[in-house]
Amino acid sequence: MAIDPQNLPNDAAALQQMLLRTMAQLDATREQLVAKERELQRVQHWLQQLLRHRYGQKRERVDENQAFLFALEIASTGRDVPPEPKPTGDAPRPTPPGHGRQRLPQSLERRRVVFDLAAHQRQCPQCQGELRHMGEEISEQLEYVPASLHVIQQACQKYACPNGCTVVTAGKPLAPIEKGLPGPGLLAHVAVSKYGDHLPLNRQESIFARHGVELSRKTMCDWMRQCAELVRPLLELMKERALSSKVVQTDDTPVPVLDPEMPRTRTGRIWTYVGDPHHPYTVYDYTPNRSRAGPDEFLKDFRGYLQADAYSGYDQIYKDSARGITEVACMAHARRKYFEAESSDIMRSMVMLAYIHLLYDIEREARDKKLDTTERLALRQARSQPILDDIRAYLERERRQALPKSPIGQAMAYTLSNWDALVRYCQDGDLEIDNNGAERSLRGVAVGRRNWTFFGSDNGGNTAAVLSSLIATCKRHHIDPFAYLRDVFGRISAHPHNQLEELLPDKWLDARTATTA
C-alpha cells in the first residue's frame, strides 16, 4: 500500500505504529517469497527427475572427475582419502577383449560341406601333371534353421486272448496335461517364450499361425495355468529351501491386473525372494496389493537376515523379536536419494556420493580378490567402518543446515533413520552392501510388463510367479530353461513325491553334469 507523504501523522507514536505495521507487512511478504521460492525449487526438482526418468539414462553414474573436486571436503572431516593403488611393473597387464569375430561354440552341430575341384581342374596348367591332394581350407558359416512343429502319434498296441478272455492295451507315459494336445516341449516353449523371453501370447499365436497351426491365446493361457499347478509342489520345495537361507533379499514391483469390475486395471504386486549362495533359489510371489500381509505370510517360517528397502510393511516383522528376523538395509537406495538431490544441492550430494563410492570400491576389491566370509568381514571392519563413522559425523553436522523438506534434507533423514540397518553389513561377512541382487531379479518382470502390459486376473499373476521362479532359478545356474522345463514337464507327473528334490534346478544340473561326465 502506497503512503502519501502529505498525509503522514504528526504524532510520533502514530508514526511508530505505522512503521511497525509496514515492517510486519514486509516480513510477511518476504516469507511468502521464500515459500514461493522453495516451492519453485521443489517443482523444478520434480521436473528434472521426471525428465531424467523419461529421457535420461537410468543408471546412477557418478562422474569421477566431478567427485574428485569434493575429495577435499571429505578430507576436511579428519580422514584422508585412500589413494588409488599404483600398478607395479611386475604385475601382468590385463589382456584387452578382442573386437574381431569370435569363435563359434564347439557345442553347435557341424554339417560338413565339401567343395572339390572338377577332374579337368586337377591337372597342372604348366606340365599337365596330376595334382596331388595336400590338405584343405576350412571356414565356418553360422546358419539358422527355423523351429518346426511335428505331431507325435502315440500308438498303444492292443492284444486280445484268442479265447475271448481279455483284451490288454499297452500303457503310455503320463502327459503333463491329461488328454491334452500339447507335449512337454511345446509347453516349455510357450512358458519360456512368455516368462523368460517376455513374448506375449498374442504374438506367439501369430508365430504358430505362420507354421500352419491355430493355437488361440486363451488355450495357451489355460495351458500355462495347468503347468503352474503341475509344478507348484516343486515351487513349494524351492520356497522352503530359499527360506532356509541365512540371508534373504527381497523387493517388489507393481504389475497392472485386469479387473472386470473396474473401468481400468488395478495394481498388483510381484515380490521376489532371493536365497543366499548356499540356497540358490529365486522365488516370486504374487499379491493383489502391497499390504504387509503378503510378505508377512510368505516369511512366517523364515529366521535370519532380511535385506530390503525401507518399506514400512516390514517394520512390524522386524519389531517382533519372536520371529528372529534382523533388518539389513540397502546402501543403493540411500545413494539414489543423493543422486536425485544433486540438482538442488550439488555440494552435499557429491560429498555423500563420493563417500559411498569409496564404500563400493572396497566391496569391489573384496569381490575381485574372491575373499571368503572371514576375510571380507575383516576388510570391512578395517576400511569400511571408519568411512561409515565419517559419513555419520558429516550428516549430523550438515543436517542442521539443510531444510528438512528439501531433497538433500530428506536424503539425510532417510540415511540417519535407517543407519543401524545400513551399516549392519559390516557386522557379518555374509551380508551384502545393497539389495541389488533382488532388484536384478525383478528386471525381467519390468521388461515383460512393457510387452504383455497386464495380467488377466489374480490367477494369471500366480501362474506367472510360479513359472517365472523356475525360469529365473535356471538362469541363475546358467541352465537352458527350455531344456529344464521340457524334462520336468515330461517327468513330474509320474515322479515320486519323496524324490521331488531331484527336479530342483541345481540338483537337475548336477545329475546332468554327472551323466555327461
Side-chain angles (χ1 to χ4, degrees):
M1 181 178 63
I3 300 176
D4 186 2
Q6 302 298 328
N7 297 326
L8 289 175
N10 296 325
D11 186 13
L15 287 173
Q16 186 177 14
Q17 291 296 327
M18 182 180 295
L19 179 60
L20 291 176
R21 286 197 299 269
T22 304
M23 293 178 62
Q25 292 176 355
L26 289 176
D27 291 340
T29 304
R30 188 180 297 109
E31 291 179 359
Q32 292 178 357
L33 289 176
V34 171
K36 293 292 184 183
E37 180 66 24
R38 291 176 182 173
E39 182 66 21
L40 178 60
Q41 292 178 355
R42 186 157 48 248
V43 172
Q44 289 177 339
H45 171 72
W46 291 342
L47 178 60
Q48 290 177 354
Q49 296 307 315
L50 289 173
L51 291 175
R52 182 178 69 85
H53 283 289
R54 180 65 180 87
Y55 299 107
Q57 67 174 9
K58 302 299 186 294
R59 184 176 180 184
E60 299 166 10
R61 184 185 297 274
V62 179
D63 187 353
E64 295 185 3
N65 294 325
Q66 189 178 18
F68 179 76
L69 298 176
F70 297 90
L72 183 61
E73 178 69 20
I74 294 179
S76 66
T77 61
R79 187 175 302 280
D80 296 331
V81 179
E84 292 290 332
K86 297 182 179 180
T88 59
D90 299 334
R93 301 182 64 180
T95 304
H99 298 284
R101 179 184 297 178
Q102 302 296 319
R103 294 181 61 87
L104 298 175
Q106 293 297 322
S107 58
L108 295 179
E109 177 189 359
R110 259 68 175 179
R111 298 182 181 180
R112 182 178 173 86
V113 180
V114 179
F115 300 94
D116 205 348
L117 297 176
H120 68 278
Q121 295 176 322
R122 298 180 187 176
Q123 294 181 352
C124 177
Q126 305 295 329
C127 64
Q128 304 302 315
E130 184 74 16
L131 298 179
R132 293 183 299 177
H133 185 268
M134 57 173 293
E136 60 185 7
E137 293 183 359
I138 298 179
S139 60
E140 293 187 336
Q141 184 181 55
L142 188 62
E143 182 58 293
Y144 172 73
V145 179
S148 61
L149 295 168
H150 62 271
V151 178
I152 298 177
Q153 291 185 339
Q154 298 177 327
C156 300
Q157 302 302 307
K158 301 174 65 176
Y159 294 86
C161 175
N163 299 322
C165 297
T166 185
V167 176
V168 180
T169 304
K172 60 181 180 181
L174 292 175
I177 299 177
E178 189 63 28
K179 299 181 181 180
L181 176 68
L186 179 58
L187 293 173
H189 173 74
V190 174
V192 174
S193 296
K194 180 173 183 180
Y195 302 109
D197 301 328
H198 320 298
L199 192 65
L201 294 180
N202 64 315
R203 297 183 195 172
Q204 295 190 54
E205 183 180 11
S206 302
I207 294 173
F208 286 127
R210 292 201 298 266
H211 290 280
V213 178
E214 298 293 336
L215 294 177
S216 71
R217 68 195 75 175
K218 183 178 183 302
T219 299
M220 289 186 284
C221 183
D222 191 54
W223 288 351
M224 294 299 98
R225 177 186 59 81
Q226 295 181 71
C227 286
E229 293 175 357
L230 185 67
V231 299
R232 183 168 291 278
L234 190 58
L235 176 75
E236 293 298 326
L237 183 57
M238 289 174 54
K239 173 184 174 181
E240 178 185 338
R241 297 296 180 88
L243 295 182
S244 299
S245 303
K246 178 180 179 180
V247 187
V248 169
Q249 293 189 344
T250 182
D251 203 354
D252 66 285
T253 189
V255 285
V257 182
L258 197 63
D259 192 334
E261 298 181 357
M262 298 179 63
R264 56 184 177 82
T265 59
R266 56 181 172 82
T267 302
R269 288 279 164 173
I270 287 287
W271 305 76
T272 180
Y273 300 91
V274 181
D276 61 21
H278 301 291
H279 305 84
Y281 304 102
T282 301
V283 181
Y284 297 99
D285 186 39
Y286 168 80
T287 57
N289 50 54
R290 207 194 182 197
S291 69
R292 70 179 181 90
D296 191 25
E297 173 64 22
F298 193 94
L299 297 168
K300 64 181 181 180
D301 296 326
F302 174 64
R303 302 290 184 272
Y305 292 98
L306 182 65
Q307 187 163 26
D309 56 16
Y311 169 52
S312 59
Y314 299 120
D315 293 345
Q316 193 62 34
I317 298 177
Y318 301 137
K319 292 178 181 178
D320 188 357
S321 58
R323 301 191 64 164
I325 297 180
T326 304
E327 179 185 8
V328 183
C330 174
M331 189 65 71
H333 280 79
R335 178 181 61 187
R336 187 171 304 140
K337 293 186 179 297
Y338 293 104
F339 184 81
E340 294 174 352
E342 184 180 353
S343 59
S344 62
D345 193 329
I346 188 172
M347 178 66 185
R348 295 186 179 94
S349 297
M350 289 305 300
V351 169
M352 283 301 302
L353 290 173
Y355 265 130
I356 297 174
H357 186 74
L358 295 177
L359 295 176
Y360 274 88
D361 282 343
I362 297 171
E363 296 302 306
R364 191 176 302 110
E365 178 182 342
R367 184 170 58 252
D368 293 342
K369 292 182 178 180
K370 299 181 179 179
L371 302 183
D372 59 24
T373 300
T374 305
E375 294 170 336
R376 184 160 66 160
L377 177 59
L379 178 67
R380 288 172 174 174
Q381 292 180 344
R383 296 177 54 186
S384 299
Q385 189 61 54
I387 296 176
L388 289 169
D389 295 339
D390 289 347
I391 291 176
R392 183 163 191 175
Y394 176 81
L395 291 176
E396 294 286 1
R397 183 176 69 250
E398 295 296 324
R399 185 183 184 183
R400 296 188 291 269
Q401 305 176 22
L403 295 174
K405 293 186 178 181
S406 64
I408 190 64
Q410 293 178 349
M412 290 179 174
Y414 175 89
T415 305
L416 290 174
S417 62
N418 295 281
W419 183 257
D420 291 340
L422 282 171
V423 303
R424 188 157 284 129
Y425 80 99
C426 285
Q427 302 173 8
D428 195 312
D430 287 323
L431 303 179
E432 298 293 338
I433 189 174
D434 54 37
N435 198 34
N436 286 350
E439 291 197 354
R440 284 192 298 269
S441 69
L442 289 174
R443 190 173 298 167
V445 180
V447 174
R449 192 169 48 208
R450 301 191 192 101
N451 290 275
W452 36 255
T453 64
F454 58 84
F455 289 145
S457 64
D458 290 335
N459 289 333
N462 290 320
T463 297
V466 173
L467 297 178
S468 296
S469 299
L470 295 175
I471 293 174
T473 303
C474 283
K475 292 181 178 180
R476 184 171 177 177
H477 291 280
H478 307 288
I479 299 172
D480 177 10
F482 170 76
Y484 171 77
L485 288 180
R486 180 179 57 182
D487 187 48
V488 169
F489 288 161
R491 295 169 53 192
I492 194 170
S493 296
H495 199 79
H497 190 272
N498 58 356
Q499 300 177 16
L500 196 61
E501 179 184 358
E502 298 174 357
L503 299 183
L504 291 173
D506 54 332
K507 306 300 181 183
W508 182 89
L509 178 61
D510 292 342
R512 282 296 181 97
T513 304
T515 302
T516 304

